[in-house]
């Protein structure tokens, strides 16, 4: 019998602070105050190779200064990714929605299902950090800078967090779920996506 593999990716529909599908509302909104967490520049770990570079390419496209990698943000992201994978049934939930964003930072989430086939157990998809960052940044086509809104029915808050000009550092992590799904988390300091403000 021929194995038929089914590939399924699902992206959480909102970046930290949420996004709006209405063309008359700002694409993103948050009421959190800017973090006072000090910068903690570090080297991007091998497991995240490509994540920072991709973020900074997207920022360069709109003439925004590059981000630095933060060990503090990376550790914070790993803590939440592990929690979601092992204690939250591999379900997406932002720290802010759970009332657990003690650092007051921005957040992007990504989930990928396991790869399944008819005659074998679920396996881990070969998702790369570059793939994740590119998926978030692909929302650029649904963001209208002039009106500071998302295309009706679309989301763009992941993209606007990536290019938020006041954000200076990022740290990311990934955790594998018991079913071989995976959860990716990036945290941003200071956060972006403030109501009524353009990202750059």
């Amino acid at each position: 019998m021929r194995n038929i593999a089914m590939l399924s990716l699902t992206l959480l529909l909102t970046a930290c602070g949420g996004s709006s599908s209405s063309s008359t509302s700002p694409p993103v909104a948050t009421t959190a105050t800017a973090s006072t967490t000090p910068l903690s520049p570090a080297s991007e770990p091998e497991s995240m190779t490509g994540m920072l570079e991709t973020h900074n390419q997207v920022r360069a496209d709109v003439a925004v200064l590059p981000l630095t990698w933060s060990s503090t943000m990376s550790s914070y992201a790993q803590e939440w990714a592990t929690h979601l994978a092992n204690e939250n049934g591999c379900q997406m939930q932002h720290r802010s929605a759970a009332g657990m964003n003690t650092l007051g930072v921005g957040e992007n989430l990504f989930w990928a299902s396991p790869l399944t086939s008819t005659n074998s157990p679920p396996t881990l998809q070969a998702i790369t950090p570059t793939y994740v960052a590119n998926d978030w940044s692909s929302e650029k086509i649904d963001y209208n800078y002039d009106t500071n809104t998302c295309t009706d029915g679309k989301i763009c808050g992941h993209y606007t967090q990536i290019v938020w000009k006041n954000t200076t550092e990022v740290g990311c992590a990934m955790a594998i779920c018991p079913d071989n799904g995976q959860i990716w988390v990036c945290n941003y300091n200071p956060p972006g996506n403030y109501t009524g403000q353009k990202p750059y």
Side-chain angles (χ1 to χ4, degrees):
M1 176 185 275
R2 187 166 69 102
N3 285 345
I4 300 174
M6 181 179 6
L7 181 68
S8 172
L9 289 178
T10 301
L11 177 65
L12 185 68
L13 295 180
T14 58
C16 184
S19 65
S20 172
S21 61
S22 170
S23 61
T24 60
S25 301
V28 289
T30 183
T31 57
T33 57
S35 172
T36 57
T37 305
L39 293 176
S40 52
S43 297
E44 180 182 60
E46 187 175 333
S47 63
M48 287 292 138
T49 298
M51 184 68 84
L52 182 62
E53 179 183 3
T54 304
H55 272 70
N56 285 336
Q57 286 172 350
V58 174
R59 290 171 70 87
D61 288 346
V62 292
V64 176
L65 292 175
L67 301 174
T68 59
W69 188 264
S70 165
S71 58
T72 300
M73 292 299 99
S74 183
S75 295
Y76 197 60
Q78 188 64 69
E79 178 185 275
W80 193 241
T82 300
H83 167 79
L84 293 176
N86 298 316
E87 299 173 39
N88 202 52
C90 205
Q91 298 297 308
M92 295 292 89
Q93 183 181 31
H94 283 286
R95 277 184 186 264
S96 56
M100 298 173 68
N101 190 3
T102 56
L103 296 183
V105 296
E107 183 173 81
N108 278 348
L109 301 177
F110 178 92
W111 172 80
S113 70
L115 187 63
T116 60
S117 68
T118 55
N119 294 325
S120 61
T123 58
L124 192 68
Q125 288 193 56
I127 304 295
T128 66
T130 300
Y131 180 92
V132 173
N134 279 330
D135 193 80
W136 289 329
S137 67
S138 70
E139 295 173 3
K140 179 178 183 176
I141 63 170
D142 295 312
Y143 175 65
N144 183 316
Y145 182 83
D146 292 335
T147 61
N148 195 31
T149 59
C150 299
T151 300
D152 191 35
K154 301 290 186 176
I155 59 169
C156 58
H158 301 97
Y159 167 71
T160 54
Q161 174 59 88
I162 289 175
V163 297
W164 199 265
K165 70 177 180 181
N166 294 333
T167 299
T168 58
E169 61 178 1
V170 64
C172 307
M174 186 270 279
I176 300 171
C177 303
D179 67 352
N180 275 329
Q182 53 193 288
I183 294 179
W184 295 71
V185 178
C186 282
N187 286 126
Y188 302 85
N189 184 44
N193 290 348
Y194 286 97
T195 303
Q197 295 183 25
K198 290 185 176 182
Y200 52 87

